[in-house]
Amino acid sequence: DFLIVDDNDFNLLALRQLLESFKFGVVCALNGEIAINLIKEKSKSSCCKAFKIVFMDCDMPVKNGYDATRELKNMQKAGELPPFPIIATTAYVNNREVNYCFECGMDAYLNKPVMKEKLKEIIKQWYKK
């Protein structure tokens, strides 16, 4: 499964439909706090220990994508979570924002609106079966 974290229903639906068109399972979370809880729960399950890719919006209420990513990467470094890539999915496209995504620990960057070909490239690069 892939996890999409976004507070915008349209963005969730659009990315979900693209991923499902590639035959991937998708779980959605409306903010970083919910995402962290879902990831922790999944890591405790016996069948599949991690989401294959997390698509993380940056600007969300409760816990934004930057803070959620920092927290998740710290848990990965501490061995509390298995490794998985976190892909920034955001409409912010200036260099400062992109660099900040990487500083927070995001592994790659996908700008919105998400285009099918770019999404394919990201999946090809980061998806580990």
Side-chain angles (χ1 to χ4, degrees):
D1 285 351
F2 292 164
L3 176 63
I4 304 170
V5 188
D6 201 308
D7 62 322
N8 181 292
D9 289 337
F10 176 79
N11 292 335
L12 284 173
L13 179 64
L15 186 50
R16 178 182 209 133
Q17 287 180 334
L18 280 174
L19 290 169
E20 287 176 345
S21 76
F22 300 141
K23 306 295 185 221
F24 290 110
V26 178
V27 175
C28 296
L30 294 173
N31 63 57
E33 186 174 294
I34 294 169
I36 289 168
N37 290 331
L38 285 170
I39 290 165
K40 284 180 181 177
E41 284 303 309
K42 188 167 182 76
S43 74
K44 293 175 188 170
S45 74
S46 58
C47 67
C48 24
K49 296 286 187 193
F51 287 102
K52 299 298 185 185
I53 299 177
V54 174
F55 294 93
M56 182 77 72
D57 184 30
C58 295
D59 187 21
M60 296 177 287
V62 184
K63 184 169 288 212
N64 66 46
Y66 306 118
D67 293 341
T69 297
R70 277 192 208 95
E71 194 171 327
L72 290 166
K73 290 298 183 173
N74 285 336
M75 286 188 265
Q76 287 177 340
K77 285 178 191 159
E80 298 167 22
L81 291 176
F84 52 84
I86 300 175
I87 310 301
T89 54
T90 181
Y92 300 131
V93 293
N94 68 52
N95 285 341
R96 196 176 108 238
E97 291 290 338
V98 173
N99 289 336
Y100 192 57
C101 289
F102 291 119
E103 287 170 22
C104 293
M106 294 175 181
D107 298 290
Y109 180 87
L110 190 60
N111 64 301
K112 294 178 194 173
V114 174
M115 298 296 163
K116 194 171 191 171
E117 289 307 312
K118 282 287 189 190
L119 182 60
K120 274 186 189 176
E121 288 174 26
I122 289 286
I123 292 169
K124 190 174 182 181
Q125 181 179 358
W126 293 98
Y127 178 63
K128 309 287 186 255
K129 292 182 181 177

